[in-house]
Amino acid sequence: MGKIGIYGGTFNPPHIGHIRAALEAVEILGLTELLVIPDRIAPHKELPVGSASPEERVQMVRLALRHRPDVTVSDMELRREGKSYTYETVEALARQYPDDELILLMGTDMFLSFHTWMHPERILAKASLGVFCRGEKGEVQAIAQRQAELEAQGHRVYPVKNTVVDISSTDLRRLLVFRCADPFLPEGVGAYIREHRLYGTGDDYRGLPMEALEQVVIRLLKPSRVRHVLGCRDTAGALAKRWGADVTDALRAGLLHDVTKALDGQLQLTLCGEYGTILSDFDRRYPKTLHALTGALVAERIFGENEAVAEAIRYHTTGKADMTLLGKIIYVADYMEPNRDFPGVERLRELAFTDLDAALKLGLEMTLEHLKNQGSEVSPQTKQALQWLG
Ligand code: FE
Ligand code: FE
């Protein structure tokens, strides 16, 4: 009797986290065979722009696992018409492998909500469950409790403690547009994606007209940040008119200022590494503020923006000494765009149109105050900016 693992997922696209988890499950559970089964994506579900076709997803997973004779990539889900449920897949596999133990692999969240799936009892009648976990305390306890309940009913649950790679397919699609995804792609998959121009990798983003730029930027942001960014763009445009700066530059810088913000600290460091940027000690300790630096790099290298726009984005969180007019405008617009709401924002809005330097100074001082109250370090550039303003 063999042990057969079943590993489903969308794999849009597959990343090294998927592949590592799959291979660790083979090792830890002593699987004789692993079936990797890309899911059908329901037709009504809106797909990210440039997504791979079902066949391309299968092809990418096959490429990623081509060296493993013990892994089979199956297109059985993709060939099925209409809605498909896990219990149907498990029952079909049980007919195909009547003498083997099937182990359905899933993440912790999935396992903890397993009772809400369609016909969990029919799944458990034919398969054991394998649960990927990070080994954090609360998580281990939650799994152990559910495991005990299921085992009391005669089912088998195997926790699979695996190395977690902090990457999601969503972030990977962002990194693909920034041309920095290689560290997270299994060998061969990056080349395949580029060759087939998937996920927008074949597009030229340089010098896009405003509306097209807006569409691309919105795809790269978290939905919750879109309003802020559009507010910042409009405010930057209005301030540029008021103070005689280049309005187009202001609109573009406003639109792009947070373009990499969706990526967390670790991914910010990856971006810097891929762009060959040398970081200061402060940057390394506070990777959150790096989105200003990586945003500037992306604006210049991916979107082909001019130096003035890139520099304004570069200093939009910290400020610096000798800021340009555009730099001041973006800093202030980011602070007081219409969606911002904090004590003092009205004063800042007033000053922005009457005394830009005073608005900038007030913003820098509020940041300094806020960081001190939080017990965080203040960027040397913020201090220099304040000294420069006097
Ligand atoms: Fe920002
Ligand atoms: Fe912002």
Side-chain angles (χ1 to χ4, degrees):
M1 175 166 139
K3 269 183 165 184
I4 312 231
I6 306 168
Y7 183 41
T10 310
F11 305 112
N12 189 27
H15 54 66
I16 55 168
H18 295 128
I19 305 306
R20 247 179 237 176
L23 298 183
E24 284 179 356
V26 172
E27 182 98 347
I28 291 169
L29 299 175
L31 300 178
T32 42
E33 187 178 352
L34 176 68
L35 304 172
V36 181
I37 309 179
D39 296 339
R40 239 169 76 89
I41 301 176
H44 62 268
K45 219 178 145 187
E46 214 183 301
L47 277 178
V49 173
S51 278
S53 69
E55 294 72 28
E56 287 166 334
R57 288 189 286 121
V58 169
Q59 200 47 43
M60 286 189 282
V61 180
R62 286 201 172 128
L63 264 176
L65 290 161
R66 67 190 179 284
H67 304 304
R68 296 291 299 231
D70 53 345
V71 178
T72 306
V73 181
S74 160
D75 62 357
M76 64 182 286
E77 284 281 329
L78 307 175
R79 282 185 280 114
R80 197 176 288 160
E81 295 280 314
K83 239 184 167 162
S84 88
Y85 291 104
T86 306
Y87 78 90
E88 297 172 300
T89 306
V90 169
E91 287 179 348
L93 290 172
R95 285 191 292 274
Q96 215 179 314
Y97 298 91
D99 302 321
D100 299 301
E101 182 187 12
L102 297 178
I103 304 177
L104 179 66
L105 296 161
M106 62 187 72
T108 302
D109 294 351
M110 286 297 191
F111 174 64
L112 295 177
S113 63
F114 180 71
H115 56 283
T116 68
W117 293 19
M118 191 65 104
H119 298 309
E121 73 293 345
R122 288 174 69 169
I123 297 174
L124 290 167
K126 302 290 182 194
S128 311
L129 306 184
V131 187
F132 290 116
C133 56
R134 294 167 175 247
E136 285 154 8
K137 210 174 167 207
E139 180 201 35
V140 170
Q141 281 167 354
I143 293 173
Q145 194 188 337
R146 292 286 298 141
Q147 181 178 4
E149 287 164 23
L150 288 167
E151 288 184 342
Q153 298 163 33
H155 306 301
R156 271 199 179 162
V157 176
Y158 303 95
V160 182
K161 200 178 149 198
N162 68 322
T163 323
V164 176
V165 182
D166 275 313
I167 186 71
S168 64
S169 291
T170 310
D171 280 342
L172 195 51
R173 289 193 296 268
R174 294 186 172 112
L175 289 173
L176 279 162
V177 171
F178 301 147
R179 301 199 192 112
C180 292
D182 281 349
F184 301 103
L185 291 169
E187 202 206 312
V189 173
Y192 183 93
I193 288 173
R194 284 185 286 272
E195 189 185 323
H196 293 256
R197 306 167 67 92
L198 300 174
Y199 309 108
T201 50
D203 297 350
D204 184 359
Y205 299 101
R206 295 175 161 264
L208 290 179
M210 261 328 252
E211 268 172 43
L213 182 64
E214 180 180 326
Q215 289 316 306
V216 174
V217 169
I218 287 174
R219 290 199 324 253
L220 293 165
L221 297 170
K222 283 190 181 155
S224 59
R225 189 151 292 272
V226 172
R227 278 175 59 197
H228 160 68
V229 164
L230 299 182
C232 181
R233 173 200 60 190
D234 296 341
T235 305
L239 287 173
K241 254 185 223 142
R242 167 68 183 88
W243 297 109
D246 187 307
V247 174
T248 305
D249 280 357
L251 293 170
R252 297 181 80 90
L255 199 48
L256 284 163
H257 83 284
D258 277 341
V259 71
T260 63
K261 176 99 176 181
L263 303 173
D264 71 13
Q266 201 49 49
L267 294 181
Q268 293 293 336
L269 293 174
T270 302
L271 273 185
C272 291
E274 290 295 293
Y275 286 138
T277 307
I278 294 159
L279 295 176
S280 70
D281 280 353
F282 181 85
D283 287 337
R284 236 183 281 276
R285 269 177 283 139
Y286 292 91
K288 253 191 173 172
T289 60
L290 278 176
H291 78 276
L293 171 57
T294 57
L297 291 169
V298 163
E300 219 169 6
R301 299 187 194 190
I302 305 299
F303 294 96
E305 298 300 329
N306 64 37
E307 253 184 79
V309 168
E311 172 161 337
I313 295 172
R314 169 73 186 85
Y315 297 103
H316 85 265
T317 55
T318 58
K320 66 160 195 145
D322 296 313
M323 282 171 86
T324 60
L325 176 58
L326 186 63
K328 295 174 186 176
I329 286 172
I330 297 303
Y331 185 94
V332 171
D334 185 32
Y335 228 115
M336 44 82 58
E337 58 86 17
N339 301 289
R340 294 282 198 201
D341 187 17
F342 54 86
V345 72
E346 286 310 330
R347 174 84 188 121
L348 199 59
R349 284 189 182 128
E350 226 179 272
L351 280 176
F353 286 90
T354 54
D355 185 343
L356 187 62
D357 280 350
L360 174 63
K361 194 173 170 193
L362 181 58
L364 289 163
E365 283 168 348
M366 285 195 286
T367 300
L368 195 100
E369 203 47 43
H370 175 72
L371 291 174
K372 278 189 180 160
N373 290 340
Q374 273 194 328
S376 303
E377 228 176 306
V378 178
S379 148
Q381 272 142 353
T382 302
K383 291 182 199 158
Q384 287 156 17
L386 278 165
Q387 268 167 16
W388 166 64
L389 286 167

